[in-house]
Amino acid sequence: MSATKLLLVLPLVAALGYLALVGLMYFSQRALLYPGAGAAFAPASRAEWGEKVSIATPDGETLHALFSKGKAGKPSVLFFLGNADLVGNYGFLEQSLAARGIGLLAISYRGYAGSSGSPSEEGLLTDGLAAFDWLSAQSDGGIVLLGQSLGSGVAVNTAAQRPVAGIILVSAYLSVLSLAQMHYPYLPIAPLIKDPFRSDLRIAKVRQPKLFIHGRRDDVIPLSSGEALYAIAPEPKQILVHDAYSHNDLWNEGMTGEIIRFVEALSRNGG
């Protein structure tokens, strides 16, 4: 091949390769965003903690969840998990909350273990509202949302639309859109993303007390993203930064204690 033809062919090959990469990322984006979904993950035959419950969504899906009822008049925590997590992993949290009379409901999003359907932003936001409405019928105390990682976006949307007592955001992001742009700066993310989870556009409606918890060493959702959301969130709010921790090692007795103190403070203040 002549040098002239080679100069013409190489840019074309590069352009086709780039388009192929863009196409691959476009069609695989939900598999990347929701790695915990799919038939490979199944709930245990027996409830790992609390009791198994089923929650119907208004668009016809059925959500698997684990529920531990709190004592009369005590608050309950509604937990929205991260994107690769399982509700059965939080027996330690249920035990700590139950020791203080606080209830806990943790849901498996649509398409996740034990739940019908396929995950999408619209679907997960619908799941969050359905879970709140279900828990409201079971509890006579206030409901505090706990959203971790992906679940922080579900929690923000739910708090913007339902009368929650407060909200705890663990490893929260400004938006999934901004995270994708950070991790894939060479791709045209904005016009192609299906599930942008724009917490930055929803947080202004969340007037309830807010607790942000983040690991300084988090390289999945950098502290800067959580701080950016915190900066635009209305008062009242507080942020706790754990210097020695990253994204997947935040859970310990210290953080569980922070959650309990926040929930009980809301209850004392009439939340």
Side-chain angles (χ1 to χ4, degrees), residues 75-227:
S76 295
V77 172
L78 173 52
F79 189 13
F80 301 125
L81 279 62
N83 67 351
D85 215 342
L86 296 170
V87 294
N89 292 338
Y90 290 90
F92 70 92
L93 178 60
E94 185 271 339
Q95 291 177 6
S96 296
L97 293 174
R100 312 300 289 258
I102 302 169
L104 176 63
L105 173 67
I107 69 165
S108 189
Y109 306 120
R110 64 184 61 203
Y112 279 68
S115 298
S116 64
S118 299
S120 66
E121 178 179 1
E122 181 181 3
L124 266 64
L125 299 187
T126 299
D127 295 346
L129 297 174
F132 179 89
D133 294 343
W134 185 92
L135 184 55
S136 294
Q138 312 298 319
S139 173
D140 58 358
I143 296 176
V144 180
L145 305 184
L146 170 59
Q148 182 175 11
S149 192
L150 177 67
S152 68
V154 181
V156 167
N157 181 74
T158 304
Q161 299 190 50
R162 293 293 188 269
V164 308
I167 178 172
I168 303 166
L169 299 173
V170 179
S171 304
Y173 46 78
L174 189 65
S175 66
V176 167
L177 168 63
S178 62
L179 287 179
Q181 290 171 325
M182 178 193 70
H183 287 296
Y184 305 103
Y186 47 86
L187 294 175
I189 297 295
L192 298 178
I193 192 168
K194 297 177 180 178
D195 301 329
F197 282 94
R198 297 294 302 269
S199 290
D200 55 333
L201 301 182
R202 299 182 174 115
I203 194 70
K205 294 182 179 180
V206 182
R207 299 288 175 177
Q208 303 92 331
K210 291 165 287 294
L211 172 63
F212 289 71
I213 302 174
H214 217 111
R216 188 174 299 279
R217 298 182 179 182
D218 195 328
D219 58 0
V220 177
I221 301 176
L223 174 60
S224 59
S225 187
E227 287 180 327

Side-chain angles (χ1 to χ4, degrees), residues 25-104:
M25 294 298 288
Y26 177 77
F27 289 108
S28 63
Q29 62 179 279
R30 281 187 170 150
L32 294 171
L33 184 57
Y34 309 113
F41 300 90
S45 57
R46 297 175 59 185
E48 296 92 337
W49 55 266
E51 62 175 313
K52 287 186 176 184
V53 298
S54 294
I55 299 173
T57 70
D59 58 346
E61 304 298 349
T62 301
L63 307 179
H64 164 64
L66 294 180
F67 176 54
S68 175
K69 189 175 181 63
K71 293 182 179 179
K74 289 285 189 175
S76 295
V77 172
L78 173 52
F79 189 13
F80 301 125
L81 279 62
N83 67 351
D85 215 342
L86 296 170
V87 294
N89 292 338
Y90 290 90
F92 70 92
L93 178 60
E94 185 271 339
Q95 291 177 6
S96 296
L97 293 174
R100 312 300 289 258
I102 302 169
L104 176 63

Side-chain angles (χ1 to χ4, degrees), residues 11-26:
L12 178 60
V13 171
L16 291 174
Y18 179 74
L19 289 174
L21 175 62
V22 171
L24 176 64
M25 294 298 288
Y26 177 77

